[in-house]
Amino acid sequence: MGRERTAGRHGAPPGRPPAARRLVTAAATAYLVNCLWGTAVAVRLIRTKKLRVVHHGLFVVTATLTGVAATTPVWTRDRSALFLLPALVPLAVAPRTNPRSRAHWRVAVAAAPSYLGALLARR
C-alpha cells in the first residue's frame, strides 16, 4: 500500500504540534494578555488597588515563557522562536521604566514585532 504516516511535520507525532510551536503560542498569548491588562489599567477600566500583583504575575509568566521559548532552537529543529530573542530586551527594560510614563508602554509595545514574527514563522 501507500506510505504510512508515522510522524507529523518536523518529526513530531501526528496530530501533536511540536513543543516549540506551543511555547511560541503560549509566550505570545501571555504577552497579549499582559498588554491588554496593562492597557485596561492605564485607561482606568480596571482598578488595581488590590490587584496590583496581577500585572506583575502576568509579566513574570510572559518573561518566563518567552525565555523558555527562545531556547527551543537549541533543542529542536524549529527556528521560529529565534524571532523572540529581540523581545527579551524590552522585557528586561520594561520593569525599570516608570509605569505611569509613556516610556513604559512604548517599551512594552517594542516587543510586539518579535511575537508577531515568531507566530508568523511557525507556519
Side-chain angles (χ1 to χ4, degrees), residues 10 20-21 24 69-85 117-118 121-122:
H10 302 293
R21 295 174 85 189
V24 166
T71 69
T72 59
V74 173
W75 48 275
T76 69
R77 293 185 306 187
D78 191 336
R79 302 292 179 242
S80 63
L82 289 174
F83 283 92
L84 293 177
L85 290 175
R122 291 179 322 153

Side-chain angles (χ1 to χ4, degrees), residues 6 28 30 36 64-65 75 91-92 102:
T6 58
L36 291 173
T64 302
L65 284 171
W75 48 275
L91 289 175
R102 288 184 176 170

